[in-house]
Amino acid sequence: MRPFTAVAALCGLLFSSSLVCAGSSTSSRVALPADFKPQQVFKNVNMVRNTNLEKAYVRETVNVVVENVDRQPQSDYYILFPSDDFGKVGGLEVRDKKASEKGRFAVEALEVESPSDYQYFVVHFPEPLAPSSQITLGISYFLLNSVTPRPATIGQSDKQYLTYSFSAYTPSAYQTVTQKTKVKFPSTNVPDYTTTSGLKSGSDPERQGTSYTYGPYDTAKVAPGTTYPITVRYEFTKPVIAASLVERDLEVSHWGGNLATEERYWLRNNGSMLSNQFSRVEWTLTNYQQLPSSAVRELKYPLRPGSVDPYFIDDIGNVSTSRYRPGKPPKREGSLELRPRFPIFGGWNYSFRIGWNDELSTFLRKAATGAESYVLKVPFIEGFKLPEGAQYEKVVVRVILPEGARNVRYQILEGSSSNGLPSSSQIESHISKHKTYMDTLGRTVLTLTVENLSDEARDSQIVVTYDYSFWDSLRKPLTITAGMFTVFVTAWVIGNLDVSIKKR
């Protein structure tokens, strides 16, 4: 082979472009006119709403028996939300209550042009519902940033109270015959709550321990969209943890057999702010007596068995006030206990990043379809595991694949229960390049962006499939070899140059 041909072949291997076969998608909302109202083709025979306030965000589950009252089969069911709450909805999932193992229904976000008091999601049934037939829907979702501290400022050791406002009538686009709402509080300390009059006979709400029940109401003659305001105020002496942004990087290294994970948090406490200046002495006494507090003391982060090399870094640098308890494969998970440099009280912010390494063989397998195809199964997000929960306004997950990976595809695993993620139509995805040391083309990066998540998404799994050939794996060592060869040749050429001054 001629030298020129050999060099050309080497350059073609190192610098040829790879075809990325993955469709980019963006979550878009269908625009509707301001006077849009769904056709009354359904009737809610019975509706039960369960509102859970045990965490720092609102978790709601609505079980509704839906009947088709039209003469034609219908497959689109509209879910109504007030415009103020529409942007706070996360993890919306709809299933057949009697056949949840069949998976979730397709849900699409709609947007009514302003001014409008309501916005809609549309649920697409897998099969049209026949006339006079019924189906029981299980609708679950959570509302971020929906609770408000009252009073807004408290003493450092005072109890914290939150308020939540809702309607005794569950918002619905269709006529509802009977309905009721069950509210679950974190404790029995509920000093203020709205009592209704004229909606039902007897006391309303009915109290039983930490549960309050509004209804049942006979609403057959109540127009859809009618509201009856309810406000509850309850004790919640725990931090109200929220993150405006979470960035998660998963870097795959075939040569090193390593999966490097890093998560970056922009955290804040949405609880009551301090009415006076912070007292270190009072805080030390509170910790010594182990009294409840509305401040963030520490963050517990479970890690999978086999995770190693954890680190905890904030804007200043490495934070040594953390403790790592390694797990024991294959079952006992590790625990990373993060203690910030200072307690995070209401209105305070704290940004940091954590990371660790895992054996790649735990998450990566070769696909059965071919020797050059790989399947990567990783958690979509891990996050904290706290009794008070955590809410994430925006999450960006980047899966950084080896250089030369192509035909990238992904799938969110579904089970018989909720995984805390919205439908795939509300998850943005795109493919890009990320260049690091000694890269020529740059590594293939799959980026997934989703808004309004909670700690319930810890159980979610993502499967990424991609093609990666043997020649692609040789790109980096050949690049290093070619670079070193170039350096030596250049040094040899320079060393053989005659730069001495001679007589003519």
Side-chain angles (χ1 to χ4, degrees):
M1 182 180 291
R2 296 181 180 179
F4 177 79
T5 307
V7 173
L10 179 62
C11 292
L13 176 62
L14 296 179
F15 303 105
S16 61
S17 60
S18 301
L19 177 63
V20 179
C21 298
S24 299
S25 66
T26 57
S27 62
S28 59
R29 294 177 178 176
V30 179
L32 299 174
D35 58 349
F36 171 79
K37 288 185 179 180
Q39 296 182 357
Q40 296 299 304
V41 295
F42 291 109
K43 177 177 66 175
N44 299 326
V45 178
N46 185 34
M47 178 180 291
V48 178
R49 175 176 57 175
N50 296 280
T51 302
N52 193 313
L53 301 177
E54 293 180 310
K55 291 191 175 183
Y57 54 88
V58 180
R59 185 75 167 91
E60 290 196 340
T61 303
V62 180
N63 299 321
V64 54
V65 180
V66 178
E67 180 181 343
N68 182 2
V69 296
D70 196 58
R71 296 181 179 180
Q72 300 294 330
Q74 300 294 330
S75 58
D76 291 341
Y77 180 86
Y78 289 85
I79 301 177
L80 178 147
F81 283 96
S83 297
D84 294 338
D85 294 337
F86 188 72
K88 304 176 183 179
V89 177
L92 177 63
E93 183 175 294
V94 181
R95 295 175 182 262
D96 185 346
K97 187 68 175 178
K98 297 181 179 180
S100 59
E101 68 279 358
K102 293 184 179 180
R104 65 169 72 188
F105 294 166
V107 179
E108 185 179 3
L110 308 178
E111 187 171 2
V112 181
E113 296 178 354
S114 59
S116 177
D117 295 332
Y118 300 103
Q119 301 290 342
Y120 299 90
F121 288 93
V122 59
V123 181
H124 303 291
F125 296 159
E127 297 179 359
L129 187 64
S132 302
S133 298
Q134 294 183 350
I135 184 174
T136 302
L137 299 180
I139 306 171
S140 60
Y141 56 90
F142 42 82
L143 299 172
L144 274 62
N145 302 323
S146 296
V147 294
T148 305
R150 185 182 298 176
T153 59
I154 59 175
Q156 189 169 313
S157 301
D158 292 347
K159 293 182 179 180
Q160 177 180 260
Y161 291 87
L162 302 180
T163 62
Y164 175 59
S165 298
F166 59 98
S167 173
Y169 296 145
T170 303
S172 176
Y174 306 99
Q175 180 187 15
T176 303
V177 179
T178 60
Q179 61 177 295
K180 65 179 178 180
T181 298
K182 297 180 180 179
V183 184
K184 178 71 172 178
F185 294 99
S187 68
T188 57
N189 189 359
V190 185
D192 300 309
Y193 58 92
T194 302
T195 58
T196 67
S197 61
L199 299 186
K200 58 167 288 189
S201 59
S203 61
D204 193 33
E206 297 178 359
R207 295 177 294 171
Q208 185 176 4
T210 59
S211 297
Y212 287 41
T213 301
Y214 285 89
Y217 305 130
D218 183 2
T219 54
K221 297 182 180 180
V222 177
T226 303
T227 60
Y228 190 103
I230 300 291
T231 300
V232 294
R233 179 172 173 264
Y234 57 97
E235 181 190 351
F236 192 87
T237 311
K238 302 174 184 178
V240 184
I241 299 176
S244 59
L245 176 63
V246 177
E247 293 180 344
R248 172 176 166 88
D249 290 349
L250 300 162
E251 188 170 348
V252 178
S253 173
H254 280 235
W255 274 97
N258 185 69
L259 177 66
T261 304
E262 180 176 281
E263 293 188 352
R264 297 175 291 277
Y265 290 85
W266 284 261
L267 209 66
R268 71 175 184 273
N269 188 346
N270 286 344
S272 299
M273 295 185 291
L274 293 179
S275 56
N276 300 312
Q277 291 186 351
F278 170 69
S279 171
R280 176 65 66 177
V281 175
E282 186 176 354
W283 175 249
T284 303
L285 182 62
T286 300
N287 280 336
Y288 179 77
Q289 297 177 343
Q290 296 184 350
L291 299 176
S293 174
S294 60
V296 178
R297 285 192 176 100
E298 65 177 5
L299 301 168
K300 294 184 179 180
Y301 201 110
L303 295 180
R304 291 178 173 268
S307 299
V308 294
D309 307 326
Y311 58 87
F312 175 29
I313 301 174
D314 62 7
D315 295 338
I316 299 176
N318 181 62
V319 184
S320 59
T321 54
S322 61
R323 180 169 53 181
Y324 175 57
R325 302 177 185 271
K328 185 177 181 180
K331 294 183 178 180
R332 193 180 73 184
E333 63 182 12
S335 177
L336 181 59
E337 300 173 2
L338 311 176
R339 188 177 291 271
R341 296 180 186 272
F342 51 85
I344 308 172
F345 284 92
W348 293 16
N349 301 318
Y350 188 65
S351 57
F352 62 93
R353 57 191 171 106
I354 59 175
W356 62 92
N357 294 313
D358 286 291
E359 286 285 343
L360 184 60
S361 59
T362 308
F363 305 91
L364 187 69
R365 295 288 185 272
K366 278 193 173 182
T369 56
E372 296 183 352
S373 298
Y374 292 87
V375 179
L376 178 71
K377 180 182 177 183
V378 291
F380 186 89
I381 187 173
E382 295 185 62
F384 319 114
K385 193 172 184 179
L386 302 170
E388 60 270 21
Q391 48 191 335
Y392 313 120
E393 296 174 2
K394 183 178 181 180
V395 177
V396 180
V397 178
R398 297 197 310 164
V399 183
I400 305 174
L401 301 173
E403 189 177 21
R406 57 193 180 277
N407 297 334
V408 181
R409 301 167 298 277
Y410 81 94
Q411 178 184 2
I412 303 295
L413 293 185
E414 299 287 351
S416 58
S417 59
S418 174
N419 61 5
L421 293 178
S423 61
S424 57
S425 63
Q426 300 177 52
I427 300 178
E428 298 181 6
S429 64
H430 70 273
I431 302 293
S432 60
K433 293 293 184 179
H434 173 68
K435 285 194 174 183
T436 56
Y437 302 106
M438 304 302 294
D439 285 344
T440 55
L441 303 175
R443 301 188 182 187
T444 305
V445 180
L446 169 65
T447 303
L448 304 175
T449 304
V450 61
E451 296 181 350
N452 296 346
L453 286 187
S454 72
D455 58 334
E456 294 185 10
R458 293 192 74 257
D459 298 329
S460 59
Q461 298 281 335
I462 177 177
V463 175
V464 180
T465 59
Y466 59 94
D467 295 339
Y468 185 65
S469 67
F470 172 75
W471 297 108
D472 290 324
S473 64
L474 293 179
R475 179 177 280 107
K476 179 156 290 188
L478 289 177
T479 301
I480 297 175
T481 302
M484 295 179 63
F485 178 76
T486 303
V487 171
F488 284 123
V489 169
T490 303
W492 178 80
V493 171
I494 294 176
N496 283 276
L497 292 177
D498 187 4
V499 294
S500 60
I501 301 176
K502 297 180 179 180
K503 293 182 179 180
R504 294 184 178 179

